[in-house]
Amino acid sequence: MPVNEVLFNVPGCSCWTCCSSTISGTHSLRRHLKSPPSLSPVKKDENSRRGNWGNQIEFVLTSVGYAVGLGNVWRFPYLCYRNGGGAFMLPYFIMLVFCGIPLFFLELSFGQFASLGCLGVWKISPMFKGVGYGMMVVSTYIGIYYNVVICIAFYYFFQSMTNLLPWTYCNNPWNTPDCSGVVGTGHQLNGSLANATTSLVAGVTEVVNRTKRTSPSEEYWKHYVLNISDDIGNFGEVRLPILGCLAISWFVVFLCLIRGVKSSGKVVYFTATFPYVVLTILFIRGITLDGAINGIKYYLTPQWQKVLDAKVWGDAASQIFYSLGCAWGGLITMASYNKFHNNCFRDSIIISITNCATSVYAGFVIFSILGFMAHHLNVPVSEVADHGPGLAFVAYPEALTLLPISPLWSLLFFFMLILLGLGTQFCLLETLVTAIVDEIGTDWIIRNKTIVTLSVAIAGFLLGVPLTTRAGIYWLLLMDNYAASFSLVIISCIMCICIMYIYGHRNYFKDVEMMLGFPPPLFFKVCWRFISPVIISFILIFTVIQYKPITYNDYVYPGWSLAIGFAMALSSVVCIPVYALYKISRSPGATFRERLKNACRSHPKWGPALQEHRTGRYAPMASEDTVEARPLKEKEDLMRLQNGMKLYSVARKRGGHTHSHSYTLYIYSTQ
């Protein structure tokens, strides 16, 4: 907001007062400014009511932290080696260019233009506000179980603060006769290097000769950390250590968001960058190990024949779509705190490429260690490779036990997982809080946003408690597989259709040009209208065709639990038609067609949030009411200005006082 300041230093006043007077707008009276008597301008948010990022680096780092999550570490490397190694990179980067970056740019520009969260932006076409509610439902589901994963990483982090990792040997009360470690037995811990090598060879021989091997890390995970039950319906008791870590996790998230983007924007300087330090440390350590090259070769060796497999392209498209966080509402929310003229086109390219490069880099870190483990076990890399929780809490921790000073590497690894998870969790919680605050929109709710944040955090903690029971892992995987699967694809597809075909692509292109100063490149125009919706539809069809009922190891989920999973998936999608019907029924019109047309028409308040940016077709129309009202308003403002000048004159006459203070009059203009 441009500010025109008229400064008067008036002696004889006991306080600093800012008297706001506007010629064509309104501002509140501000008293008792505790600033020193200086003429230097104070840095202000462009949108003083909602707030903005402290600077553009904070937005980029937050978005990187949001997009780069646990999936980059525990899902992409597995997909890569399963789908042809280096050959998978071809469809992966093609999908990034034609689907990932365009959708990322679309959501960033959408939120930045309106300066509203995932609910408020649907003033663009009120009938589709159900898409925003669907995004909120998805973010709620993900936020509940995602923080449970973070809390388990917290638990492993705390358990790594020891001289000996508890999942190193098979001599613990929770181990079974099938357990077979790769490090030998506990009494050999203090032996010489030669003895340790001998015991390692003996342990490997024992493993190879066994027909069935259960690793110490797997038994630690199943029988000690989870104490897993035999059925999803058998909840059992709450695992108190996990519950405590869940409370810690939510408390950390709340503290980092206590002042919204003002506080989280500072935290991401560490949470978004330090994981790369840890990845680099683990990578350097990994490539120096025996067998690491074999693991990396297994990760990257191209199998070009698989490029012709439709499943490979489907996996590539799905990974790009889910990894970037499209349709969660987080991208719209984060961009809504940008300044109006920020170059979000540049940001979308930087963040998207950073996300994908991180996935590839994490693959080197993971497979160098897994190659080392396979080398010592004398088995193929495929037998030790895993994904999801199996990689993070079983395979990789077991590999770390083979390293000297293993607790140090374990601490670094789980600290990295915690930071990666928190970066995503910050945005999930902020998405929900921003949507609620924007929707209510009162001065009280804006001033007390911290209370909303605390309430959402407490609700998230309570809803996550069932996931800390003995059956919690079953429910966590159920939510992971169904709550944010095909529903995200449907939400994203409808969003593209609404913006490009209901609101109109020409209108949106003009909006982007007004905001950025240049129109979207031709490539993005074509992608938004044609290519990206086709790819999204392909992902949906692929998801349906490739659907298989969820299992966990040898456990097959019962039918009633799958029904709950589908209900979770549909609960976000059903918001769209339900709200559309509601909006149509409440819209004016004599016929259904008129109601439908009015429900789709943009709200009068759609457009830039600040009056100074509402130019062109968003400029206020000069109606009779405004023609009459503006002179009256100008008279009132002129009277305020005259009164301020009288105060100034009176204060000048008192200038002979022995003590002097300053009295400052600011005159703001909103246009």
Side-chain angles (χ1 to χ4, degrees):
M1 180 182 299
V3 178
N4 301 323
E5 297 182 351
V6 180
L7 299 174
F8 302 91
N9 281 327
V10 183
C13 179
S14 61
C15 67
W16 281 78
T17 303
C18 173
C19 179
S20 302
S21 175
T22 59
I23 302 304
S24 58
T26 60
H27 280 287
S28 61
L29 183 65
R30 300 183 180 182
R31 295 174 183 260
H32 303 289
L33 282 178
K34 302 300 181 183
S35 56
S38 171
L39 298 182
S40 59
V42 179
K43 184 179 180 181
K44 292 182 57 182
D45 288 333
E46 183 180 74
N47 190 330
S48 58
R49 179 177 173 84
R50 239 175 142 261
N52 296 108
W53 295 105
N55 55 62
Q56 208 48 39
I57 297 177
E58 293 181 6
F59 166 68
V60 172
L61 289 178
T62 301
S63 299
V64 168
Y66 173 65
V68 177
L70 298 174
N72 297 73
V73 174
W74 74 20
R75 178 172 168 79
F76 173 82
Y78 175 81
L79 284 179
C80 190
Y81 97 81
R82 192 184 71 177
N83 289 299
F88 180 71
M89 301 294 182
L90 176 63
Y92 182 73
F93 284 107
I94 288 177
M95 291 300 175
L96 170 66
V97 171
F98 288 95
C99 183
I101 296 178
L103 288 178
F104 205 91
F105 180 31
L106 178 65
E107 292 200 28
L108 291 189
S109 60
F110 193 22
Q112 181 174 307
F113 182 77
S115 297
L116 291 169
C118 63
L119 280 183
V121 290
W122 293 102
K123 289 183 175 68
I124 191 173
S125 183
M127 190 181 81
F128 290 89
K129 192 175 182 178
V131 175
Y133 283 110
M135 290 177 174
M136 285 188 65
V137 172
V138 169
S139 292
T140 300
Y141 287 141
I142 298 175
I144 291 171
Y145 78 78
Y146 209 83
N147 227 13
V148 174
V149 177
I150 298 173
C151 88
I152 297 175
F154 264 113
Y155 181 78
Y156 270 80
F157 177 77
F158 295 140
Q159 291 297 306
S160 300
M161 296 179 180
T162 178
N163 293 328
L164 177 67
L165 294 176
W167 55 86
T168 303
Y169 299 114
C170 292
N171 57 353
N172 302 290
W174 57 82
N175 292 125
T176 66
D178 290 328
C179 179
S180 178
V182 295
V183 184
T185 57
H187 64 81
Q188 295 167 316
L189 178 63
N190 296 320
S192 65
L193 180 61
N195 291 335
T197 305
T198 304
S199 65
L200 178 60
V201 173
V204 171
T205 305
E206 181 184 1
V207 169
V208 173
N209 291 335
R210 280 183 179 229
T211 56
K212 180 181 179 182
R213 172 185 180 268
T214 305
S215 67
S217 60
E218 183 178 355
E219 294 200 346
Y220 179 78
W221 163 249
K222 292 174 63 176
H223 303 316
Y224 184 76
V225 177
L226 302 178
N227 193 15
I228 190 169
S229 65
D230 58 353
D231 185 70
I232 188 174
N234 182 15
F235 283 90
E237 73 278 2
V238 171
R239 301 289 296 149
L240 293 180
I242 303 299
L243 182 65
C245 290
L246 181 63
I248 292 174
S249 181
W250 274 110
F251 183 68
V252 170
V253 173
F254 167 70
L255 283 183
C256 294
L257 289 173
I258 194 168
R259 293 182 59 238
V261 297
K262 293 299 183 185
S263 54
S264 66
K266 303 299 182 291
V267 174
V268 294
Y269 280 104
F270 178 74
T271 60
T273 57
F274 194 72
Y276 291 96
V277 177
V278 178
L279 278 174
T280 302
I281 294 173
L282 292 175
F283 173 69
I284 294 173
R285 184 67 187 97
I287 59 175
T288 60
L289 299 171
D290 294 336
I293 300 301
N294 294 331
I296 293 176
K297 285 181 179 179
Y298 194 83
Y299 168 53
L300 290 180
T301 301
Q303 303 173 37
W304 293 109
Q305 68 276 10
K306 288 195 174 184
V307 174
L308 302 177
D309 188 351
K311 185 178 184 303
V312 173
W313 289 84
D315 281 343
S318 299
Q319 175 63 15
I320 284 291
F321 184 83
Y322 295 122
S323 175
L324 290 174
C326 298
W328 291 16
L331 298 178
I332 294 174
T333 302
M334 295 303 104
S336 70
Y337 292 102
N338 279 333
K339 293 182 178 180
F340 183 74
H341 293 298
N342 171 63
N343 190 349
C344 59
F345 170 67
R346 171 202 60 204
D347 296 341
S348 63
I349 295 177
I350 293 174
I351 298 166
S352 300
I353 294 178
T354 301
N355 172 72
C356 296
T358 303
S359 297
V360 176
Y361 187 38
F364 286 94
V365 177
I366 297 299
F367 274 89
S368 61
I369 297 291
L370 294 182
F372 165 68
M373 183 178 177
H375 173 76
H376 276 279
L377 290 175
N378 197 24
V379 297
V381 178
S382 58
E383 292 192 17
V384 297
D386 203 346
H387 69 291
L391 172 66
F393 302 118
V394 177
Y396 205 86
E398 182 181 19
L400 293 177
T401 62
L402 297 170
L403 300 177
I405 326 176
S406 56
L408 172 63
W409 308 112
S410 182
L411 282 170
L412 286 173
F413 175 71
F414 288 110
F415 189 54
M416 179 190 69
L417 291 186
I418 291 169
L419 295 182
L420 288 174
L422 288 176
T424 302
Q425 190 68 20
F426 291 158
C427 296
L428 290 171
L429 183 60
E430 185 62 40
T431 296
L432 298 175
V433 172
T434 298
I436 295 171
V437 171
D438 284 350
E439 185 67 9
I440 299 175
T442 62
D443 291 336
W444 185 90
I445 203 74
I446 293 175
R447 288 195 307 269
N448 296 277
K449 185 178 178 181
T450 301
I451 297 177
V452 180
T453 305
L454 178 62
S455 301
V456 174
I458 292 174
F461 169 75
L462 295 176
L463 291 172
V465 170
L467 301 185
T468 64
T469 62
R470 294 178 59 193
I473 188 65
Y474 297 122
W475 290 99
L476 188 151
L477 294 174
L478 185 72
M479 295 179 72
D480 185 41
N481 279 269
Y482 289 91
S485 56
F486 67 86
S487 55
L488 285 177
V489 183
I490 296 174
I491 289 172
S492 184
C493 188
I494 294 177
M495 181 181 68
C496 284
I497 293 173
C498 172
I499 296 175
M500 291 294 108
Y501 297 100
I502 305 300
Y503 177 65
H505 63 277
R506 291 186 180 87
N507 289 332
Y508 194 73
F509 297 160
K510 291 178 181 177
D511 291 345
V512 174
E513 184 174 5
M514 177 195 303
M515 179 174 62
L516 301 183
F518 58 88
L522 178 61
F523 172 77
F524 286 86
K525 293 180 179 180
V526 174
C527 285
W528 286 347
R529 292 187 64 194
F530 307 110
I531 300 178
S532 295
V534 170
I535 293 177
I536 295 173
S537 302
F538 166 71
I539 296 174
L540 179 60
I541 295 172
F542 170 78
T543 303
V544 173
I545 293 176
Q546 294 292 324
Y547 170 76
K548 293 180 181 178
I550 182 177
T551 60
Y552 179 58
N553 295 333
D554 296 330
Y555 177 75
V556 179
Y557 280 67
W560 63 267
S561 64
L562 298 180
I564 293 177
F566 278 110
M568 285 191 292
L570 292 174
S571 62
S572 56
V573 176
V574 76
C575 294
I576 302 172
V578 168
Y579 189 87
L581 293 174
Y582 164 77
K583 190 64 183 178
I584 292 172
S585 66
R586 299 295 298 270
S587 298
T591 63
F592 177 80
R593 183 175 181 179
E594 291 178 0
R595 290 174 178 268
L596 178 63
K597 186 176 180 180
N598 289 327
C600 292
R601 184 177 290 117
S602 298
H603 192 278
K605 291 185 178 180
W606 161 251
L610 301 182
Q611 191 67 32
E612 66 194 72
H613 297 142
R614 297 184 72 90
T615 58
R617 58 197 180 96
Y618 292 104
M621 299 297 293
S623 62
E624 293 182 1
D625 294 337
T626 58
V627 170
E628 295 177 359
R630 285 180 66 88
L632 179 61
K633 180 63 182 171
E634 290 176 7
K635 289 180 181 179
E636 294 175 353
D637 292 331
L638 183 59
M639 290 179 63
R640 292 195 190 98
L641 179 60
Q642 290 172 345
N643 290 334
M645 295 297 294
K646 289 178 181 178
L647 290 173
Y648 168 67
S649 299
V650 171
R652 283 294 296 262
K653 292 177 182 179
R654 299 177 181 176
H657 287 277
T658 57
H659 61 281
S660 175
H661 300 278
S662 295
Y663 191 90
T664 305
L665 177 66
Y666 285 87
I667 301 177
Y668 292 87
S669 175
T670 58
Q671 290 185 348

